[in-house]
């Protein structure tokens, strides 16, 4: 089954404690993205990747890092989480860029205390 | 500054009637438009799209209309069903961009 998986689904942590949210897709897609969803703000893109070892900032990259060492995996790293990073995070992948359909993961709800 | 606007945060419709969700955009470079549907505790799923060379695209009960001169698109759901109750996101992109821009979403409730 074609899918995007994220782990963990729920995470409560404390300020400053480094964490990683994993994302994996099995569709051999080149493009992958991370979004955060906040009430009243919709989906905002954090980082995206065009292929292995090629990443770039989205609209709200501050406080986040990503890596793309393998085509299928695109982890999101919070080196020093802060309460304003409490949000719902989605990973997505697509075959092509721009207007192509994106496949989203189920989401990770992160709370930073 | 929002480039993609969904001005109605919520919409309530009776089962069997038409649901019309609206989306406005400001960037004239956008040439692909997509609608995503999101249920609680799930990721968004692609619903329907349209490119700027068309003014209408239909898929079953779902039709998207694009008015380029007004920079406006709408999603029509006919007939609406209770299972359509979800948040609907409008997204826009230019063919060469890596970053689609999403609206803030409209929560649709279809009453039985």
């Amino acid at each position: 089954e074609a899918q995007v998986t994220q782990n963990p689904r729920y995470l409560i942590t404390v300020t400053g404690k480094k964490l990683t949210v994993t994302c994996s897709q099995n569709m051999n897609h080149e493009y992958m993205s991370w979004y955060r969803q906040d009430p009243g703000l919709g989906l905002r893109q954090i980082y995206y990747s065009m292929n292995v070892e090629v990443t770039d900032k989205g609209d709200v990259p501050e406080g986040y890092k990503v890596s793309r060492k393998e085509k299928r995996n695109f982890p999101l790293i919070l080196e020093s989480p802060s309460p304003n990073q409490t949000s719902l995070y989605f990973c997505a992948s697509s075959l092509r860029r721009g207007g192509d359909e994106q496949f989203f993961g189920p989401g990770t709800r992160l709370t930073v205390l | 500054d929002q480039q993609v606007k969904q001005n109605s945060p919520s919409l309530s419709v009776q089962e069997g009637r038409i649901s019309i969700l609206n989306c406005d955009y400001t960037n004239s470079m956008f040439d692909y438009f997509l609608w995503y549907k999101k249920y609680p505790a799930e990721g968004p799923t692609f619903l329907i799209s349209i490119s700027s060379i068309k003014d209408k695209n239909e898929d079953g009960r779902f039709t998207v209309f694009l008015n380029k001169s007004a920079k406006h698109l709408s999603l029509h759901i006919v007939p609406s069903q209770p299972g359509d109750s979800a948040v609907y996101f409008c997204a826009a992109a230019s063919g060469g961009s890596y970053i689609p821009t999403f609206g803030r979403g409209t929560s649709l409730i279809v009453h039985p």
Side-chain angles (χ1 to χ4, degrees):
Chain A
E1 179 191 355
Q3 60 181 352
V4 178
T5 57
Q6 294 178 228
N7 282 293
R9 293 290 312 276
Y10 302 91
L11 179 60
I12 300 174
T13 189
V14 295
T15 299
K17 186 176 182 182
K18 181 180 178 179
L19 67 92
T20 299
V21 183
T22 64
C23 172
S24 183
Q25 51 95 1
N26 63 0
M27 295 167 278
N28 203 35
H29 285 168
E30 290 192 356
Y31 298 92
M32 298 185 74
S33 302
W34 275 103
Y35 293 85
R36 60 180 287 174
Q37 184 189 5
D38 301 291
L41 296 179
L43 290 163
R44 295 181 293 168
Q45 196 176 71
I46 302 170
Y47 268 94
Y48 61 94
S49 169
M50 298 80 87
N51 212 325
V52 174
E53 303 290 3
V54 185
T55 63
D56 206 349
K57 297 176 181 178
D59 297 323
V60 287
E62 294 78 19
Y64 304 95
K65 284 176 58 177
V66 292
S67 70
R68 187 96 180 270
K69 293 184 170 53
E70 303 167 284
K71 196 170 187 178
R72 63 183 293 125
N73 295 325
F74 190 42
L76 179 70
I77 303 155
L78 285 72
E79 295 266 1
S80 183
S82 62
N84 65 11
Q85 292 178 298
T86 293
S87 188
L88 181 57
Y89 292 87
F90 292 101
C91 179
S93 73
S94 62
L95 188 58
R96 290 173 293 269
R97 62 185 179 185
D100 199 30
E101 169 191 355
Q102 290 183 292
F103 293 81
F104 283 83
T108 295
R109 184 165 291 283
L110 172 65
T111 301
V112 183
L113 302 175
Chain B
D1 184 33
Q2 284 184 263
Q3 295 190 66
V4 177
K5 297 180 184 179
Q6 295 178 254
N7 291 318
S8 299
S10 62
L11 176 66
S12 183
V13 171
Q14 205 66 31
E15 180 179 8
R17 307 294 289 270
I18 184 171
S19 295
I20 300 176
L21 294 91
N22 294 305
C23 180
D24 297 294
Y25 62 97
T26 57
N27 188 341
S28 58
M29 298 300 290
F30 289 148
D31 51 10
Y32 288 94
F33 304 90
L34 308 96
W35 285 93
Y36 287 84
K37 175 177 174 179
K38 184 184 179 305
Y39 292 119
E42 295 182 13
T45 55
F46 171 76
L47 189 58
I48 192 169
S49 65
I50 189 168
S51 74
S52 59
I53 62 172
K54 294 186 173 182
D55 54 16
K56 176 183 175 181
N57 189 26
E58 197 170 351
D59 184 2
R61 297 186 295 113
F62 303 91
T63 303
V64 56
F65 295 92
L66 176 63
N67 182 332
K68 289 185 290 293
S69 61
K71 294 190 176 69
H72 176 82
L73 64 154
S74 60
L75 174 68
H76 293 211
I77 306 173
V78 185
S80 301
Q81 299 174 354
D84 296 329
S85 298
V87 176
Y88 289 79
F89 290 101
C90 170
S94 63
S97 75
Y98 297 105
I99 308 178
T101 301
F102 282 80
R104 295 183 176 182
T106 296
S107 177
L108 172 66
I109 299 171
V110 180
H111 298 282

